[in-house]
Amino acid sequence: KYTKFSIFYYWINSLDQKTFIYSRAENVAIPSGEENKTAALSYDHRIMPLENTSSTGMYYCEVKWNDIKKVGKGVFVLIRDTGYINTSYSWEILVTLTVLLAVLSITATALLLWKRK
C-alpha cells in the first residue's frame, strides 16, 4: 500500500499562489524480510536556476499515498538581483557616534579648564 507514492515540489509566492515545479512517481520495492518495518528514504531536488526576484517565497515538498498526504515545513528562499549590495549602516553609525562623543568630551573638558582660569 505504501510502496507507491508521488512526490511534488512547489512554491507559494507572496500572493499565496501555488506554482508546481516538479513531480515524480515512485514505486519502492520492499526487500524480503523487511516487510512491516518503518523505512525513511531521502529524495533531494535542486531547483536551478531561479529565474528572477519574483521567485522569492516558501518552497515545499509534498508526498501523496493513496489516502495520505504529508507536506514538509517549507523553506523560505529570498532571491536578489545580481550585484545586490546589502545596505548595512552599523559601522557608519558606530563611527559617527564615537566621533560625536569624542568631540563633546573634548569640548566639555576645554570649557571646564577655561572656566577655572
Side-chain angles (χ1 to χ4, degrees), residues 38-99:
T38 301
L41 302 173
S42 293
Y43 292 91
D44 293 331
H45 180 68
R46 187 174 298 222
I47 303 165
M48 296 286 285
L50 295 169
E51 292 110 24
N52 52 41
T53 56
S54 65
S55 298
T56 294
M58 289 293 292
Y59 285 73
Y60 295 93
C61 174
E62 179 179 298
V63 179
K64 287 184 182 177
W65 287 271
N66 291 335
D67 54 348
I68 300 172
K69 177 172 79 169
K70 295 287 184 182
V71 180
K73 295 179 182 177
V75 174
F76 180 76
V77 178
L78 174 62
I79 314 293
R80 293 182 174 160
D81 280 333
T82 303
Y84 176 83
I85 298 172
N86 193 5
T87 53
S88 173
Y89 298 106
S90 58
W91 281 107
E92 290 86 350
I93 292 171
L94 182 63
V95 169
T96 303
L97 185 60
T98 303
V99 168

Side-chain angles (χ1 to χ4, degrees), residues 2-14:
Y2 298 108
T3 60
K4 293 181 182 180
F5 54 92
S6 298
I7 303 172
F8 301 93
Y9 297 96
Y10 61 90
W11 68 282
I12 297 177
N13 64 15
S14 59

Side-chain angles (χ1 to χ4, degrees), residues 95-109:
V95 169
T96 303
L97 185 60
T98 303
V99 168
L100 180 64
L101 289 175
V103 167
L104 288 175
S105 177
I106 292 169
T107 304
T109 303

